[in-house]
Amino acid sequence: MVSRMFRIETEVDRERRDLLRARLLETNTAASPVLRALRGTPREREVPLQVWALDDSGDLAAGAVCHTWADWLHVTYLWVDGRHRGSGLGSRVLAEAERIARDERACVAARLETWDFQAPEFYKKQGYEVVCVIPDYPPGITEYTLIKNLR
């Protein structure tokens, strides 16, 4: 039996992080025919998608920060100013992000995460379905992952 010694370090290291990411990408690509087929195509890249709603004064009233990757839309942030909540503005911003993803980027589905005190019911009304529930993430809060078919 060969005994090996390892030194464990915990500092933040951008170079090692990038090396680890590259090696993980290489390992995953070798293990998955789906990811192998994705490599080298435009679908491989995460492409930012942002939608902004401005009020009459030009101030931010609502917005969505998203990206598309591998035929999916990922909604990272969706926010509506408190003065405009309940007006349908959030639905309009989300629908525009979905439209761009579907019609201009050929996305077939969307995904997002939200907490129990944020907007799971809002997203369900927009046609999203809960596919994952993580209780106590963070402690005292439940996180939901939701998806929607865009076809």
Side-chain angles (χ1 to χ4, degrees):
M1 177 183 205
V2 176
S3 175
R4 298 184 183 197
M5 299 290 290
F6 297 97
R7 182 178 72 241
I8 304 297
E9 298 179 356
T10 61
E11 76 272 355
V12 174
D13 184 321
R14 183 182 220 150
E15 188 175 318
R16 286 181 185 162
R17 181 206 62 198
D18 291 346
L19 177 61
L20 182 85
R21 183 182 293 146
R23 288 184 178 173
L24 182 60
L25 179 67
E26 181 181 302
T27 301
N28 289 346
T29 300
S32 169
V34 172
L35 292 179
R36 236 183 344 272
L38 194 61
R39 298 298 169 239
T41 70
R43 296 170 46 236
E44 175 184 31
R45 290 183 34 248
E46 284 186 8
V47 180
L49 192 165
Q50 300 175 1
V51 179
W52 309 110
L54 307 176
D55 66 16
D56 292 338
S57 304
D59 292 329
L60 183 63
V65 174
C66 316
H67 68 267
T68 55
W69 175 77
D71 301 333
W72 277 72
L73 168 68
H74 187 167
V75 180
T76 307
Y77 308 119
L78 176 67
W79 174 82
V80 178
D81 186 281
R83 297 172 292 168
H84 305 293
R85 290 188 187 140
S87 70
L89 186 56
S91 299
R92 287 177 54 199
V93 168
L94 181 59
E96 181 63 6
E98 292 170 352
R99 184 199 65 74
I100 293 168
R102 180 186 59 249
D103 298 346
E104 298 177 21
R105 301 186 185 184
C107 288
V108 297
R111 65 165 289 172
L112 57 87
E113 297 82 27
T114 190
W115 285 322
D116 55 6
F117 66 88
Q118 288 178 319
E121 296 308 314
F122 165 79
Y123 291 116
K124 289 177 189 176
K125 289 178 186 172
Q126 308 311 309
Y128 285 76
E129 67 176 278
V130 174
V131 294
C132 178
V133 178
I134 305 173
D136 277 340
Y137 183 73
I141 295 174
T142 299
E143 181 180 88
Y144 296 90
T145 301
L146 296 95
I147 62 170
K148 179 180 180 177
N149 186 331
L150 296 180
R151 291 187 207 169

